[in-house]
Amino acid sequence: NKQVILKNYVSGFPKETDMYVTTSLIELKVPKGSNGVLLKNLYLSCDPYMRPRMTKDMEGSYIESFEPGLPISGNGVAKVLDSENPEFKKGDLVWGMTGWEEYSLITSPYLFKVPHADVPLSYYTGILGMPGMTAYAGFYEVCSPKQGECVFISAASGAVGQLVGQFAKLLGCYVVGSAGSKDKVDLLKNRLGFDEAFNYKEEPDLNAALIRCFPEGIDIYFENVGGKMLDAVLINMKVGGRIAVCGMISQYNLDEPEGVHNLTRLISKRVRMEGFLVSDYNHLYPKFLEMIIPYIKGGKIVYVEDTAEGLESAPAALVGLFSGRNLGKQVVAVASE
Ligand code: NDP
């Protein structure tokens, strides 16, 4: 059984060599009466929240750290090979928490049956999985969006951002995204239907870029990066605006968070800034599927994936999230059904 193991706890930017691939023996059978399931992993998801899990007992974290010497765990799509759990049977396709390995024996499953198998299965790591629900809950529940509003999204071409932008367009908003390369800006404007987009790495003056794109100000900011971008956005919010704090990826590898200086603008502009966790909205998943499946099948929403082939490529794919190497949702294809 090939596995990706965390070598040691990480400080600063994660490196490919913080993980290694090894092979161990596994009995392809679930112990009788154990409640476990044996999975053949098909797709694994690379997600930014996995970086804090590489730090020992991260202060204020909402999720447990990984253990050095053990396989990394994360979201994935898998096929059930054997089961002692009444909820799953051999042959089921499932998505949820699994290991970064070819086969996983899961003793307390946090897994869901794949509800629609007539769409790409990898979508359950992205649009139909945790990032999709994050975009849905964050935009519709936290941002209180209205037609015609001006919406700004950072890390806009990523797993979450590309969907928030498309949801906002479907609602009739004016939508602008920031991203870290020319290819990503082209993707936003030409394929994902954003009204405007800019490359924040080539705009030393973020405030000027925002004034250019939003001469009248921003109603909604979907925050994925934090730091300097948040500071510039705070200056450009409209009265009564909302900021949904989804993530702050620019801060995850820093020992000391970068100072944000313009928070008093929240008062003068009466802006609501709200952090949220997708896990608080799990109950909305059926409602989300009802909306999103017809959009996918009707081609009203597109989903861009960046697929790394093979378990060996997983460490580089995960690390690539923090330099922006991924164009769209970063998936690792491990095996076919
Ligand atoms: P992405 O697919 O967007 O991948 C990460 C992207 O972040 C990179 O491609 C890169 O794009 C950008 N990035 C990396 N480092 C920096 C930096 N220093 N400054 C600015 N941008 C950077 O990831 P997701 O869509 O999966 O996640 C987006 C955000 O949502 C993250 O902050 C994540 O933690 C958060 N999240 C929160 C959840 C919640 O429940 N609250 C659930 C899921 C995700 P670029 O080239 O554009 O810089």
Side-chain angles (χ1 to χ4, degrees):
N1 187 23
K2 224 183 279 174
Q3 301 180 306
V4 178
I5 311 281
L6 178 69
K7 205 184 281 175
N8 275 311
Y9 288 119
V10 172
S11 71
F13 274 77
K15 301 180 296 303
E16 213 180 315
T17 50
D18 290 324
M19 294 159 265
Y20 62 93
V21 180
T22 184
T23 305
S24 66
L25 284 176
I26 180 172
E27 198 186 344
L28 292 180
K29 212 157 177 30
V30 180
K32 283 263 169 276
S34 67
N35 211 40
V37 290
L38 178 73
L39 302 179
K40 177 186 178 188
N41 293 311
L42 308 178
Y43 294 100
L44 298 173
S45 179
C46 295
D47 293 289
Y49 80 90
M50 296 168 80
R51 170 61 188 86
R53 298 195 69 190
M54 295 176 149
T55 307
K56 190 172 196 235
D57 306 326
M58 175 114 161
E59 203 188 320
S61 177
Y62 55 91
I63 189 150
E64 275 178 17
S65 300
F66 293 134
E67 261 190 65
L70 292 182
I72 299 224
S73 62
N75 277 298
V77 184
K79 187 166 188 168
V80 175
L81 294 187
D82 188 22
S83 173
E84 286 289 313
N85 186 301
E87 285 182 43
F88 304 99
K89 61 176 192 313
K90 188 178 167 182
D92 282 347
L93 289 168
V94 295
W95 72 275
M97 285 310 276
T98 187
W100 275 33
E101 51 196 347
E102 287 173 292
Y103 301 95
S104 298
L105 178 62
I106 309 281
T107 44
S108 16
Y110 184 73
L111 294 166
F112 313 93
K113 280 193 201 161
V114 162
H116 299 266
D118 54 351
V119 293
L121 283 180
S122 55
Y123 276 15
Y124 291 90
T125 67
I127 182 169
L128 294 175
M130 189 274 282
M133 267 304 289
T134 303
Y136 176 78
F139 184 62
Y140 293 107
E141 300 292 314
V142 182
C143 292
S144 313
K146 287 186 276 304
Q147 188 181 5
E149 285 191 322
C150 295
V151 178
F152 177 54
I153 303 150
S154 52
S157 69
V160 177
Q162 60 174 308
L163 283 175
V164 176
Q166 292 181 80
F167 291 157
K169 280 311 299 172
L170 284 167
L171 189 64
C173 297
Y174 168 76
V175 182
V176 179
S178 66
S181 73
K182 181 178 180 303
D183 285 352
K184 291 184 180 186
V185 168
D186 287 347
L187 178 76
L188 294 172
K189 291 210 280 200
N190 302 326
R191 223 176 128 203
L192 299 174
F194 283 57
D195 296 290
E196 261 311 328
F198 66 89
N199 178 351
Y200 69 93
K201 288 182 182 163
E202 288 189 342
E203 295 265 3
D205 189 345
L206 296 175
N207 184 31
L210 291 171
I211 292 172
R212 183 177 76 239
C213 294
F214 296 100
E216 320 227 297
I218 300 167
D219 293 295
I220 289 173
Y221 173 43
F222 197 97
E223 163 72 301
N224 285 320
V225 309
K228 293 191 177 78
M229 185 64 88
L230 174 59
D231 230 17
V233 168
L234 283 166
I235 303 174
N236 288 284
M237 291 301 291
K238 278 193 203 172
V239 170
R242 284 84 63 204
I243 300 177
V245 184
C246 174
M248 295 195 173
I249 195 167
S250 74
Q251 308 295 297
Y252 297 173
N253 300 311
L254 304 181
D255 291 335
E256 288 293 325
E258 219 167 40
V260 174
H261 307 284
N262 298 321
L263 280 173
T264 51
R265 301 287 176 120
L266 296 177
I267 311 164
S268 51
K269 297 285 178 63
R270 283 83 97 199
V271 167
R272 172 162 64 80
M273 181 162 162
E274 183 178 341
F276 72 97
L277 277 183
V278 59
S279 47
D280 291 339
Y281 296 90
N282 286 347
H283 59 284
L284 296 182
Y285 190 63
K287 202 173 144 203
F288 166 62
L289 281 185
E290 235 171 76
M291 181 193 92
I292 199 93
I293 290 286
Y295 277 152
I296 295 173
K297 291 190 176 166
K300 285 243 160 54
I301 282 195
V302 293
Y303 199 60
V304 179
E305 296 181 314
D306 192 332
T307 307
E309 293 294 333
L311 197 63
E312 293 83 359
S313 65
L318 176 57
V319 167
L321 292 178
F322 301 95
S323 59
R325 215 181 72 170
N326 59 309
L327 185 70
K329 165 68 201 172
Q330 184 65 61
V331 188
V332 180
V334 179
S336 50
E337 264 186 78

